[in-house]
Amino acid sequence: MTQTSNLQLVLGSTSPFRKEVLNKLNIPFETDKPLVDETPLENETAIELVERLAVLKAEAVASRWENAIVIGSDQVALFNEQILGKPHTHENAIKQLKSFSGNKVTFLTGLAVINTETHETYSLVEPFEVHFKDLTDCEIEQYLLAEQPYNCAGSFKSEALGICLFEKLVGNDPNALIGLPLIKLVELLKKHNYSILAQQQS
């Protein structure tokens, strides 16, 4: 198999949180914003949606790069099998967090990696569960006023003060909660013969 250590690594996202996660691997990379239609297809499941969008985002960025390995990612949060939307208002955020109290929200992160030389694509979906504490009205109000997460699906920022709302986190990789599961990413990169550890020596 051809070595790919000489290929440029590109993160198909301009999210500062995903960028921060990828920095943990101690390798140089570029970022590029994917522009794709994220509208769900008819009868598409949440798992199908996030994997399809991760691939679409990787493909959109890959079309602009040569000699590169491109990472695409997408995430949705589910509660009672329904995809969570953004609250937009304080009142809607209160309703969402009240419904989560003592319950579980599942995050699904789609991950795709494309080699622009071979056009090979590998993708998967990584689940992660957030279990909420029994929240009082006062705690919900204090949190929302402090963080104002009205443009965040589910009315909380898991990478920030939202952690105060949680009882426990259940999953294989805590990075998945932030939208970039590194354990699975390392596996997909290895399928492209791109070794993170070998890169440390180059």
Side-chain angles (χ1 to χ4, degrees):
M1 184 182 293
T2 304
Q3 293 294 322
T4 57
S5 60
N6 61 325
L7 298 185
Q8 174 69 59
L9 195 66
V10 181
L11 175 62
S13 172
T14 54
S15 161
F17 303 112
R18 285 192 175 101
K19 183 177 180 180
E20 186 177 346
V21 171
L22 189 54
N23 273 327
K24 294 179 182 181
L25 296 183
N26 192 39
I27 50 174
F29 64 91
E30 300 292 332
T31 60
D32 195 352
K33 184 176 180 65
L35 298 172
V36 302
D37 181 356
E38 300 188 19
T39 305
L41 302 178
E42 188 175 356
N43 298 322
E44 187 174 41
T45 67
I47 290 177
E48 292 168 343
L49 172 67
V50 291
E51 186 164 14
R52 179 176 63 83
L53 290 182
V55 171
L56 278 180
K57 289 179 178 181
E59 288 176 342
V61 171
S63 67
R64 299 193 289 267
W65 290 79
E66 294 181 355
N67 305 316
I69 290 183
V70 179
I71 302 164
S73 182
D74 190 73
Q75 186 181 68
V76 298
L78 293 177
F79 179 65
N80 289 340
E81 302 303 316
Q82 297 296 313
I83 295 176
L84 297 177
K86 299 175 181 179
H88 299 298
T89 68
H90 186 78
E91 292 71 24
N92 288 339
I94 288 175
K95 290 177 183 177
Q96 280 197 329
L97 291 181
K98 278 188 174 183
S99 69
F100 300 159
S101 178
N103 290 308
K104 174 186 73 175
V105 170
T106 301
F107 284 81
L108 298 174
T109 302
L111 184 65
V113 180
I114 293 177
N115 182 325
T116 64
E117 282 195 332
T118 64
H119 303 292
E120 286 183 309
T121 302
Y122 297 104
S123 63
L124 54 80
V125 175
E126 179 78 356
F128 197 89
E129 295 178 357
V130 173
H131 294 253
F132 281 77
K133 298 175 182 176
D134 291 321
L135 302 172
T136 66
D137 290 350
C138 181
E139 287 172 328
I140 291 173
E141 186 74 13
Q142 288 172 334
Y143 170 71
L144 292 176
L145 291 177
E147 193 138 75
Q148 300 186 16
Y150 307 125
N151 286 316
C152 299
S155 306
F156 61 92
K157 296 181 181 179
S158 56
E159 66 280 354
L161 272 180
I163 202 78
C164 297
L165 309 175
F166 306 157
E167 178 180 88
K168 65 179 179 179
L169 305 175
V170 180
N172 294 325
D173 185 346
N175 297 297
L177 187 56
I178 307 172
L180 195 64
L182 289 186
I183 293 174
K184 293 298 186 183
L185 176 59
V186 170
E187 289 181 12
L188 294 189
L189 288 171
K190 192 173 182 180
K191 287 187 174 185
H192 287 291
N193 206 31
Y194 187 99
S195 168
I196 294 297
L197 292 179
Q199 287 291 100
Q200 307 300 311
Q201 303 161 6
S202 61

